[in-house]
Amino acid sequence: MLSLIDIESSYGYVKVLKGITIEIKEGDIVAILGANGAGKTTILRTISGLLKPDRGKIEFMGERIDGKPPELIVSKGIVQSPEGREIFPGLSVLENLKIGAYTRKDKNNISKDLDRIYHYFPRLRERQNQIAGTLSGGEQQMLAIARALMAKPKLLMLDEPSLGLAPRVVKEIFEIIKEINQEGVTVLLVEQNARQALAIANYAYILQTGLVVMEGKAEDLKNNEEVKATYLGGKRPGSNVN
């Protein structure tokens, strides 16, 4: 569905991605894991068209999209829920959701899709007329994901959906992500919470300083001793890997 081939991206003179190759199959949940500064968000920004790669190419559904404007990429079905949520705090929940659908031409189906969103996130139905800035952190994260879904993505990109949330809320968010995927939306998940991400992903890539240092089926990575030691809080007997 999506291929990144030897992608390099920079901010000014600082090269952040140093030859990234990633593939996402339709229907999968693919996780990108790594510490702060590894380049996870930069990958999403490059896919979204917010950052033009220095080299390499990106193909989506067989069509090359690197260098295309973000609004065109969204219209093709790639939608991002950004780190930090970035909802419109002065607007109501419902107004935020309707903004998510602004690129759509099938306006007659928007109310039907609102019902689907409210199925995933019943609390948003209860709070649809509430000002978004007054929601709890977990509710704001739900709203950010729901707003992205209103664009009817083929590929939903989630940037740190668990950031700053209580464990109970994190579990709830990840259950919803799994349900969204089971209903046909491919998911690219950027996360520091490796344990939760690997629990729902089919495949995962691990980044360090702009490079893919490990990849594989999520189940295999979950059982890998180095991954357990570095990302899942396990012990690292006889190893000096940091």
Side-chain angles (χ1 to χ4, degrees):
M1 185 183 210
L2 181 79
S3 297
L4 280 70
I5 303 159
D6 199 25
I7 288 291
E8 295 184 1
S9 292
S10 306
Y11 295 109
Y13 295 107
V14 180
K15 191 173 290 297
V16 179
L17 303 182
K18 304 167 184 174
I20 295 286
T21 297
I22 284 174
E23 286 196 354
I24 297 166
K25 293 179 182 176
E26 190 167 3
D28 275 0
I29 298 177
V30 173
I32 299 178
L33 310 175
N36 269 338
K40 304 187 302 297
T41 294
T42 303
I43 288 177
L44 298 192
R45 288 176 58 82
T46 305
I47 295 169
S48 292
L50 297 168
L51 188 62
K52 188 174 179 180
D54 303 324
R55 61 169 290 181
K57 65 178 181 176
I58 303 173
E59 293 180 349
F60 180 64
M61 311 286 281
E63 181 182 352
R64 192 161 175 177
I65 61 167
D66 50 282
K68 304 283 188 194
E71 61 273 18
L72 181 65
I73 291 171
V74 169
S75 73
K76 291 185 180 301
I78 300 177
V79 182
Q80 182 174 344
S81 175
E83 181 181 0
R85 301 148 200 165
E86 295 190 17
I87 59 165
F88 297 98
L91 300 181
S92 71
V93 167
L94 181 58
E95 286 167 335
N96 269 271
L97 293 174
K98 285 182 175 178
I99 285 173
Y102 83 98
T103 60
R104 289 176 52 176
K105 295 180 171 59
D106 60 333
K107 302 298 182 186
N108 294 335
N109 291 324
I110 288 175
S111 60
K112 184 175 73 175
D113 285 327
L114 274 171
D115 286 337
R116 184 170 64 96
I117 294 300
Y118 291 146
H119 162 73
Y120 294 136
F121 304 102
R123 260 177 284 177
L124 297 184
R125 183 193 294 274
E126 295 166 13
R127 291 159 171 71
Q128 60 184 307
N129 296 316
Q130 187 170 327
I131 297 301
T134 65
L135 298 175
S136 70
E139 289 163 352
Q140 289 187 19
Q141 184 60 69
M142 291 175 188
L143 178 56
I145 296 171
R147 182 183 59 188
L149 285 173
M150 285 299 294
K152 292 198 82 168
K154 295 183 179 83
L155 173 64
L156 175 64
M157 302 196 301
L158 301 173
D159 195 355
E160 303 284 9
S162 74
L163 190 66
L165 302 182
R168 176 186 56 79
V169 180
V170 171
K171 186 178 178 186
E172 185 179 353
I173 294 278
F174 274 78
E175 285 297 324
I176 293 166
I177 294 169
K178 198 160 68 170
E179 185 180 354
I180 290 165
N181 172 252
Q182 287 166 350
E183 295 191 3
V185 179
T186 306
V187 177
L188 177 56
L189 173 65
V190 158
E191 257 299 333
Q192 282 191 68
N193 189 330
R195 190 178 300 278
Q196 287 284 357
L198 291 174
I200 67 168
N202 304 97
Y203 202 86
Y205 295 85
I206 295 178
L207 257 62
Q208 283 181 12
T209 59
L211 295 165
V212 174
V213 293
M214 198 178 296
E215 65 175 276
K217 292 179 180 177
E219 192 63 33
D220 294 340
L221 291 179
K222 241 189 326 189
N223 296 317
N224 179 286
E225 291 303 322
E226 186 177 336
V227 172
K228 283 200 280 191
T230 307
Y231 297 99
L232 304 179
K235 292 183 179 177
R236 191 187 293 111
S239 170
N240 295 317
V241 177
N242 291 317

